[in-house]
Each structure stands twice: as structure tokens, then as C-alpha cells.
Amino acid sequence: MSTGVTPGSWCSKCGDIEGILSDITGVLYNSGKDGGTAIPGSIEAVAKLKAAGIPLRFCTNETQCTTIQIANKLNRLGFSIKPDEIVAPAPAVCGFLKQRNLRPCLLVHPDVLPEFAEIDTTNPNCLVVGDAGEEFNYGRMNKAFQFLVSLDEPLLISLGCGRYYKEDDTLRMDVGSFVAAFEFAADIKAEIVGKPSPAFFQQSLHTMDIRTSEKAIMIGDDIVSDVGGAQKCGLLGIMVRTGKYRPSDEPHSYVTPDGYVNNLAQFVDMFLEHRI
Amino acid sequence: MSTGVTPGSWCSKCGDIEGILSDITGVLYNSGKDGGTAIPGSIEAVAKLKAAGIPLRFCTNETQCTTIQIANKLNRLGFSIKPDEIVAPAPAVCGFLKQRNLRPCLLVHPDVLPEFAEIDTTNPNCLVVGDAGEEFNYGRMNKAFQFLVSLDEPLLISLGCGRYYKEDDTLRMDVGSFVAAFEFAADIKAEIVGKPSPAFFQQSLHTMDIRTSEKAIMIGDDIVSDVGGAQKCGLLGIMVRTGKYRPSDEPHSYVTPDGYVNNLAQFVDMFLEHRI
């Protein structure tokens, strides 16, 4: 039976791999009503990797909730994932802010605010924008813009840079689109914390103590942000044909994945088979 | 007494000029509470040009109200201006839509809707975005985006492309910023109807029956949109030191006006003096 997949050159490198990064939405589960649904085979695939002792992190641009809430949601679907196995932009930016002595004005979703509990937001000197959902209204956006251009050196930090995403079968504009509005209004470029920023992939590897990005694989359903971003950072990038994958992604105009797989389950089986 | 202005080469061309375009906000009046205030000398300057029989149009990117409302507002301040002397993006786009058989989905300010009364909006095939103010909220923006990407060939038309403007001493994000969000989300470029689009200046000249843009002058307080835009279309571009003019506009990094004047009154006096 054809699987539509031929083992790529990535398979020959499996023996050297020290850890795996996986996207969450579209790889582990599809979002939707009542928390969405697990993608067939993904629950078992994660369990197999863990059983084989493969270091693993879940690397997401989700900024509408905390990593604890993400883990809870996944575990309700049948996964067994701890919050500290999840790398997300909000906790990542907190390290970045402390390191650079930055105090943010936050335009983020109310549910992600607990991630910023220990961050000093008095007398702010930068604007941090996440996927704020309904908070993206004329009043809030104008206030954020007025604050931004009141700074001597306007600094705009974007948690991810997605164009749009699908939720409950509906397309919604993602944080990158609203950040584009601020970039145009203030005539500046945002710094991105999240995929496809190389620093974000580096940080994800750092949590697994992996120092050589060539010894890690990223698997995701966003060919530019997941696959292309990881490749730019030196990782192998595998494209999965679930989630927001579209046949038109294959071939893509400027990103050539190290391999295509039908789903996470197939990836894990191929990985474990070629690892021996 | 020095006026801070030396007659530029534009003065020697006044004899050939067949008509004048003037920006409204920042040249005729400054916006503010209770309708704003006329800029000293501007009421008389407009009257002098009219008395001298100089064809004149007021060329604005205002899209929060109709040309009738703009004329009423100006006339309450003491001007004597008819709606058909005002060229604005909303009426201009109506001609454009009819010409190209386009039926718009409108994301505009409620007060400007009367301009679209005769436009067919059934089964829309393009998105027209104006300075919609409070209508720029998450729900409306997402609906507009979903409509846009549902089109076989997404067409986005922007009424002007300003970054921001000042109202009641407060900066507000302008239509161009919100259009940048749609451009990023849908990965397309908007077509602009309004300044600095050459077609918009051409249309303004057309209403005065002027066929040679070199025989017209545009005066405005936005060095890029008013002055640079007009110059690209072949007109002489004069920068006025009122409205949103800032000393840092002089010199500007890439626009060199044909002349600077302190205000509209000074421009009109110089124009009439050198015309003889």
C-alpha cells in the first residue's frame, strides 16, 4: 500500500537526533468546539516517543492562554503532556523582557495575563502584542498606538506573527495582522518572539539541553513558520499533511521541507524505525 | 520683515497655472472640538482666489463623512464652499466601482454611507475600506477579512492610506494602518483611491477641465501624500507650514516641494502677485 511518502534524506539522519520539536495545533489536535479533537494516532505517537526516551518539546505560537491551560486542554483530549514541555511566546517573552530591562505595556488576551504575573509593568517602555482577540478594538488599539509613539525609541514586540488561523471552521485574523497595523502606523518593524524567529527555536532546544540545532527535528503544519523557520535555525524541518496543510503547499515556492509525512503517527514510526 | 519664505521657481510659473488644488484639514482649518477652527487668513484666501476667477478644488482624504457634511462644516467656520468643489475618496471610488463593474462590501464610517446610496452592494466582489473609526473592531474586521479571502481574486480598495491623524489633540490610527492589517492577513496589496494616488489627482483636475497636470498646483500640509503625491502626478507641490507640518519636514528625506509657504494666505498672495 502506498503511503504517499518516500523516506527522505532526513531518515538517514535519525540516528544523530537528540530531540524533537512538534507544533501543537494541526499536529496533535485540530481546534474546534468543546476543545477540538485529537488527530488520529497523535496521542499514541507522543506516547511512543516518550517511551523511547526521546527528548520532546511542544513548540507553539498560542498566546490566548497559559501553558498550564494548553497542557490541560491537551490532556483532556487524551495526551499526557506537562506545562513545562510546552514552549510558547508568552513565557518566552518574559525572559526576554527581564534580560533587557523592559517593562511592557500589554495588549494580550486576558487569559494569558497570568504568564506576566511577575513582570513589572509600571512606567512601561515597550509594547507587547499577542493574539488579543476581542481586545483588538479601535479604543484599545489607539491607546496602544499612542503609547508606542510616545516612546523616545518605540519598541514593538509581537508574540508570533501569523496571518490568520482557523477556529470553529472560521478564519480569524492572527496577531501578525494587527501588528502590521501598528508597524504601518508607527513606521517601525516589530521584534518577533515565537516561530519563525530563530531565537525561539534556539530557546526550545535550550530547554532540552541541545546545543547543536542540526541534531533536532521540527515537525509542523505551517510550511513557512514551522518548517522554513526551523530550517533557517539549522534544524531539520518536516511538513505534516494535517491541520492547515494544503496540497498547494507541496511544492512550496520557497520552502523545501526535509520531508513530508501524512501525520505525526507516520513521522514517529519512520523516525523510530530509522533510528535503530 | 522676513517671512521665512523666498519666492521659489514656482512663482515664475504662476502665469501658466489653470487651477489650484488645496488640502482641507491643516490648510483651511484645524480639527478640534465644536468643529475646529479656521486657520487665520484661510477664509479670506479662498475668497480672493474665487474673486480672481481661479478654478479651485479642495482635495481631501476625509472619509468619515459626506462632501455635503464637509462643506457644511467649513461653511459654519466662515468659508463659502460648495460640496461639488470638494474631491474626496468616497465619491471618487463610486465612479471607479461603476466603471469596473465592482460591487463593494463596505467597511466604512456610518456617516459616509450616503455617498454609496446608488451603489449596488449585492453579491459583492471587492472590499472597500475607509476610515471606519469604531467600526474597526475584531468582529467587523474578521468578517471583512473572511469575505476578502472568500473571493477568487481578492480585491481590496483603500480610501486613502494615512498612517494616523490628530483629532482633539489625540493621535488616531488612520485607514492605512487598518488596511495594512488586511494586506498582511490576505497577502495582497490594496488599490488606493485618494491622495497620493495619481489617479485621484487626475480626477480632481478633470473636474476643473484641466488636461495638463503641469498647469496646476497642489498645496497641502502632508509632505508625502499631498506634496510628493501631486508632484509624482506632474503638478507643482507646495508645502504649507500649518496643520501637521513639523519643522523636521524641512528638508524632507525624499520629497522636495516646489515651495514652502507659512500658510494658505501667504500662498494666495504670492500666487496672485506673480500671476500678473
Side-chain angles (χ1 to χ4, degrees), chain B residues 20-25 27-28 56-62 70 74 81 85-89 194-205 207-208 217-221 225-226 230 235:
Chain B
I20 290 173
L21 297 180
S22 172
D23 184 23
I24 294 181
T25 311
V27 179
L28 299 189
L56 183 60
R57 289 292 180 274
F58 303 96
C59 187
T60 179
N61 272 1
E62 171 68 70
I70 299 171
L74 292 171
I81 290 170
E85 291 174 315
I86 296 170
V87 186
K195 298 177 286 187
S197 154
F200 190 67
F201 287 111
Q202 281 295 356
Q203 186 168 347
S204 307
L205 297 184
T207 67
M208 295 189 283
I217 295 180
M218 168 77 197
I219 178 164
D221 67 337
S225 187
D226 290 332
L235 291 85

Side-chain angles (χ1 to χ4, degrees), chain A residues 64 131-139 141-142 145-146 149 161-165 170-178 180-187, chain B residues 64 131-139 141-142 145-146 149 161-165 170-178 180-187:
Chain A
Q64 283 211 345
D131 179 10
E134 300 284 347
E135 299 292 304
F136 286 129
N137 59 51
Y138 190 65
M141 288 183 72
N142 269 315
F145 164 69
Q146 288 150 13
V149 293
C161 61
R163 295 180 185 279
Y164 61 89
Y165 59 92
T170 305
L171 296 183
R172 288 170 200 273
M173 294 168 76
D174 200 357
V175 59
S177 302
F178 294 96
F182 290 122
E183 288 185 322
F184 183 85
D187 198 16
Chain B
Q64 283 210 345
D131 179 10
E134 299 284 347
E135 300 291 304
F136 286 129
N137 58 52
Y138 190 65
M141 287 184 73
N142 269 314
F145 165 67
Q146 289 150 13
V149 293
C161 61
R163 295 180 186 278
Y164 61 87
Y165 59 92
T170 306
L171 295 183
R172 288 170 199 273
M173 293 168 77
D174 201 356
V175 60
S177 302
F178 294 96
F182 291 121
E183 289 185 321
F184 183 85
D187 198 14

Side-chain angles (χ1 to χ4, degrees), chain A residues 43-59:
Chain A
I43 293 172
E44 298 75 13
V46 170
K48 274 187 200 172
L49 282 178
K50 288 191 167 191
I54 312 294
L56 183 59
R57 289 292 181 274
F58 302 95
C59 187

Side-chain angles (χ1 to χ4, degrees), chain B residues 207-222:
Chain B
T207 67
M208 295 189 283
D209 246 347
I210 296 175
R211 285 157 207 280
T212 312
S213 55
E214 287 73 14
K215 294 190 173 176
I217 295 180
M218 168 77 197
I219 178 164
D221 67 337
D222 185 317

Side-chain angles (χ1 to χ4, degrees), chain A:
Chain A
M1 189 186 76
S2 165
T3 58
V5 170
T6 46
S9 61
W10 68 275
C11 290
S12 65
K13 296 174 186 164
C14 288
D16 294 329
I17 293 301
E18 295 179 358
I20 290 173
L21 297 179
S22 172
D23 185 23
I24 295 181
T25 311
V27 179
L28 300 189
Y29 84 112
N30 287 319
S31 62
K33 279 178 184 159
D34 300 325
T37 49
I39 291 172
S42 287
I43 293 172
E44 298 75 13
V46 170
K48 274 187 200 172
L49 282 178
K50 288 191 167 191
I54 312 294
L56 183 59
R57 289 292 181 274
F58 302 95
C59 187
T60 178
N61 272 1
E62 171 68 70
T63 61
Q64 283 211 345
C65 56
T66 63
T67 52
I68 292 175
Q69 289 168 321
I70 299 171
N72 287 344
K73 179 157 68 173
L74 292 171
N75 294 342
R76 274 197 299 273
L77 293 174
F79 291 91
S80 177
I81 290 171
K82 293 180 209 131
D84 62 7
E85 291 174 315
I86 296 169
V87 186
V93 83
C94 289
F96 175 91
L97 293 168
K98 283 177 187 166
Q99 222 169 34
R100 289 173 54 180
N101 258 327
L102 292 171
R103 298 174 306 278
C105 165
L106 296 169
L107 178 53
V108 298
H109 197 281
D111 290 350
V112 84
L113 280 173
E115 301 281 25
F116 296 92
E118 290 177 16
I119 295 295
D120 180 7
T121 56
T122 57
N123 190 20
N125 53 10
C126 65
L127 175 63
V128 170
V129 182
D131 179 10
E134 300 284 347
E135 299 292 304
F136 286 129
N137 59 51
Y138 190 65
R140 282 297 305 272
M141 288 183 72
N142 269 315
K143 277 199 178 152
F145 164 69
Q146 288 150 13
F147 161 72
L148 186 63
V149 293
S150 76
L151 296 172
D152 285 340
E153 291 180 29
L155 174 56
L156 172 61
I157 299 169
S158 179
L159 303 184
C161 61
R163 295 180 185 279
Y164 61 89
Y165 59 92
K166 207 174 199 172
E167 195 171 81
D168 303 342
D169 267 338
T170 305
L171 296 183
R172 288 170 200 273
M173 294 168 76
D174 200 357
V175 59
S177 302
F178 294 96
V179 164
F182 290 122
E183 288 185 322
F184 183 85
D187 198 16
I188 56 172
K189 286 299 287 177
E191 290 190 31
I192 296 161
V193 174
K195 299 177 286 187
S197 154
F200 190 68
F201 288 110
Q202 281 296 356
Q203 186 169 347
S204 307
L205 298 184
H206 184 73
T207 67
M208 296 188 282
D209 247 345
I210 296 175
R211 284 157 208 281
T212 313
S213 57
E214 287 72 14
K215 294 190 173 176
I217 295 179
M218 168 77 198
I219 177 165
D221 67 337
D222 186 315
I223 193 152
V224 174
S225 186
D226 291 331
V227 178
Q231 287 178 324
K232 266 196 191 153
C233 186
L235 292 84
L236 293 173
I238 304 292
M239 180 71 185
V240 70
R241 296 195 185 104
T242 52
K244 65 179 161 190
Y245 162 83
R246 292 286 167 273
S248 58
D249 291 338
E250 201 171 342
H252 187 264
S253 58
Y254 61 91
V255 177
T256 306
D258 292 287
Y260 282 92
V261 293
N262 289 335
N263 47 48
L264 182 66
Q266 185 177 55
F267 165 76
V268 169
D269 287 345
M270 289 174 80
F271 174 78
L272 292 175
E273 181 187 337
H274 287 88
R275 189 166 173 78
I276 300 162

Side-chain angles (χ1 to χ4, degrees), chain B:
Chain B
M1 188 186 77
S2 166
T3 58
V5 170
T6 46
S9 61
W10 69 274
C11 290
S12 64
K13 296 175 186 164
C14 288
D16 294 329
I17 294 301
E18 296 179 358
I20 290 173
L21 297 180
S22 172
D23 184 23
I24 294 181
T25 311
V27 179
L28 299 189
Y29 83 113
N30 286 319
S31 62
K33 279 176 185 162
D34 301 323
T37 49
I39 291 172
S42 287
I43 293 172
E44 299 75 13
V46 170
K48 274 188 202 173
L49 282 178
K50 288 192 168 190
I54 311 294
L56 183 60
R57 289 292 180 274
F58 303 96
C59 187
T60 179
N61 272 1
E62 171 68 70
T63 61
Q64 283 210 345
C65 56
T66 64
T67 52
I68 292 175
Q69 289 168 322
I70 299 171
N72 286 344
K73 179 157 69 172
L74 292 171
N75 294 341
R76 272 196 300 273
L77 294 174
F79 291 92
S80 177
I81 290 170
K82 294 181 209 129
D84 61 7
E85 291 174 315
I86 296 170
V87 186
V93 83
C94 290
F96 176 91
L97 293 168
K98 284 178 186 166
Q99 220 169 34
R100 289 174 54 179
N101 258 327
L102 293 170
R103 298 174 305 280
C105 164
L106 296 169
L107 178 53
V108 297
H109 197 281
D111 290 349
V112 84
L113 281 173
E115 300 281 25
F116 295 93
E118 289 177 16
I119 295 295
D120 181 8
T121 56
T122 58
N123 190 22
N125 53 11
C126 66
L127 174 64
V128 170
V129 182
D131 179 10
E134 299 284 347
E135 300 291 304
F136 286 129
N137 58 52
Y138 190 65
R140 282 296 305 272
M141 287 184 73
N142 269 314
K143 278 200 177 150
F145 165 67
Q146 289 150 13
F147 160 72
L148 186 63
V149 293
S150 75
L151 297 172
D152 285 340
E153 291 180 28
L155 175 57
L156 172 61
I157 299 169
S158 179
L159 304 184
C161 61
R163 295 180 186 278
Y164 61 87
Y165 59 92
K166 206 174 202 174
E167 196 171 82
D168 303 341
D169 266 340
T170 306
L171 295 183
R172 288 170 199 273
M173 293 168 77
D174 201 356
V175 60
S177 302
F178 294 96
V179 165
F182 291 121
E183 289 185 321
F184 183 85
D187 198 14
I188 57 173
K189 285 299 287 177
E191 290 189 31
I192 295 160
V193 174
K195 298 177 286 187
S197 154
F200 190 67
F201 287 111
Q202 281 295 356
Q203 186 168 347
S204 307
L205 297 184
H206 184 73
T207 67
M208 295 189 283
D209 246 347
I210 296 175
R211 285 157 207 280
T212 312
S213 55
E214 287 73 14
K215 294 190 173 176
I217 295 180
M218 168 77 197
I219 178 164
D221 67 337
D222 185 317
I223 193 152
V224 174
S225 187
D226 290 332
V227 178
Q231 287 178 324
K232 266 195 191 153
C233 186
L235 291 85
L236 293 174
I238 305 292
M239 180 71 185
V240 71
R241 296 194 186 104
T242 53
K244 66 179 161 190
Y245 163 84
R246 292 285 166 275
S248 58
D249 291 338
E250 201 171 342
H252 187 263
S253 58
Y254 62 92
V255 177
T256 306
D258 292 287
Y260 283 92
V261 293
N262 290 336
N263 48 48
L264 183 66
Q266 185 177 54
F267 165 75
V268 169
D269 286 344
M270 288 173 80
F271 174 78
L272 293 175
E273 182 188 336
H274 288 88
R275 190 167 171 78
I276 300 159

